[in-house]
Amino acid sequence: MSKIPVMELFGPTIQGEGMVIGRKTMFVRTAGCDYACVWCDSAFTWNGTEKHRVRMMEPEEVLDEMVALGGNRFNHVTITGGNPALIADPMARFIDLCHQRGYRVGLETQGSRMQEWFLQIDDLTISPKPPSSRMETDWAVLDRIVRRLHDDGVNLSLKVVVFGDEDVEYAKTVFARYPYVSQKFVQPGNELVTEAKDISHHLLARLAWLFQVAIDTPEFNTVRVLPQLHAMVWSNERER
């Protein structure tokens, strides 16, 4: 693949989750994923419902459109999906172009695939998917990816989305498996990803539940609890 399959390009907006929560950023959302999480909040990137929106773009085209949208109002770019880890050379070129402009680049991926361009990422979150997703973690693959990123000095974090007790146990397993990763996060899941109404009260209740879980769980002594900040403010609006 010589081009990037772009589903959405928007911003500047505020990053609502993960290690750079609250930071102003531009978003480049790619199409395609090797997972099919039942609660995915961007299933349109892989389930075919919006395949007509996918644009195959050269890295230079993506950068030009991003700058046309954001002007001088950003210095951080978030690559998301889908799973951008399915893309090889053109993504490496895009990250090079961003760095030439002085932009930091963030990525979140589930740890199912590795690309060499991961080593160029400034803020990289590995978010393995818990049992509620109905996906299976390939621990051998995840082990190799996390170790490689850590050993190569990438600014790395682990984040687990939690819906219930089984996911809490999964998060404990993930964090215990990689004690050398210092940045660890849990985030309450959003079961209302298809709702058009205000869901902030529901998300606050879920956050309060996860606060108490963390307070009661010794294995979470060094784990930070984060909300989906954008969903609390804008609910499920797209391209905010």
Side-chain angles (χ1 to χ4, degrees):
M1 184 185 296
S2 61
K3 296 184 179 181
I4 300 172
V6 176
M7 177 65 77
E8 296 177 331
L9 200 165
F10 60 96
T13 187
I14 301 301
Q15 173 59 264
E17 58 190 355
M19 65 195 301
V20 291
I21 187 170
R23 179 160 188 168
K24 184 162 63 170
T25 189
M26 295 292 296
F27 274 87
V28 177
R29 186 185 300 281
T30 63
C33 193
D34 50 329
Y35 275 23
C37 299
V38 297
W39 39 250
C40 181
D41 62 1
S42 53
F44 58 88
T45 62
W46 51 262
N47 66 12
T49 57
E50 298 191 20
K51 61 184 179 182
H52 60 282
R53 296 189 63 192
V54 179
R55 293 180 293 159
M56 301 303 297
M57 301 177 69
E58 298 282 354
E60 291 81 3
E61 293 176 311
V62 179
L63 181 71
D64 288 346
E65 184 167 319
M66 189 172 66
V67 172
L69 283 172
N72 65 353
R73 295 177 294 136
F74 73 98
N75 64 3
H76 190 275
V77 178
T78 298
I79 301 169
T80 188
N83 186 8
L86 301 178
I87 306 163
D89 294 343
M91 192 60 79
R93 172 63 179 159
F94 174 68
I95 296 165
D96 281 340
L97 292 170
C98 287
H99 285 159
Q100 289 171 24
R101 291 286 190 110
Y103 306 145
R104 287 181 67 88
V105 181
L107 169 73
E108 180 173 317
T109 182
Q110 61 259 41
S112 60
R113 303 283 186 94
M114 174 70 192
Q115 295 287 353
E116 288 301 305
W117 56 260
F118 283 13
L119 305 181
Q120 301 171 247
I121 294 292
D122 301 292
D123 307 302
L124 200 159
T125 295
I126 298 291
S127 183
K129 304 311 178 189
S132 62
S133 70
R134 299 184 191 168
M135 297 293 104
E136 293 289 335
T137 300
D138 187 328
W139 293 105
V141 171
L142 186 60
D143 288 349
R144 288 195 297 271
I145 292 173
V146 174
R147 174 54 73 180
R148 174 81 189 282
L149 296 173
H150 176 267
D151 288 353
D152 279 80
V154 174
N155 182 27
L156 175 66
S157 73
L158 294 168
K159 186 188 81 176
V160 179
V161 175
V162 174
F163 283 82
D165 293 342
E166 192 175 11
D167 290 353
V168 170
E169 294 304 313
Y170 177 88
K172 291 179 187 179
T173 298
V174 170
F175 298 146
R177 196 175 184 97
Y178 310 111
Y180 49 85
V181 178
S182 60
Q183 299 185 83
K184 300 181 175 75
F185 305 99
V186 287
Q187 171 188 303
N190 175 12
E191 306 99 320
L192 305 179
V193 293
T194 61
E195 294 285 341
K197 63 185 180 183
D198 181 359
I199 60 173
S200 58
H201 291 294
H202 173 77
L203 295 179
L204 281 169
R206 296 290 298 154
L207 185 61
W209 166 76
L210 191 52
F211 277 177
Q212 193 60 52
V213 169
I215 290 166
D216 294 339
T217 303
E219 293 89 343
F220 287 178
N221 284 357
T222 61
V223 175
R224 282 175 277 177
V225 182
L226 294 180
Q228 270 198 315
L229 188 60
H230 59 293
M232 292 174 67
V233 175
W234 292 315
S235 297
N236 293 317
E237 291 184 46
R238 291 267 295 274
E239 300 185 17
R240 288 300 301 259

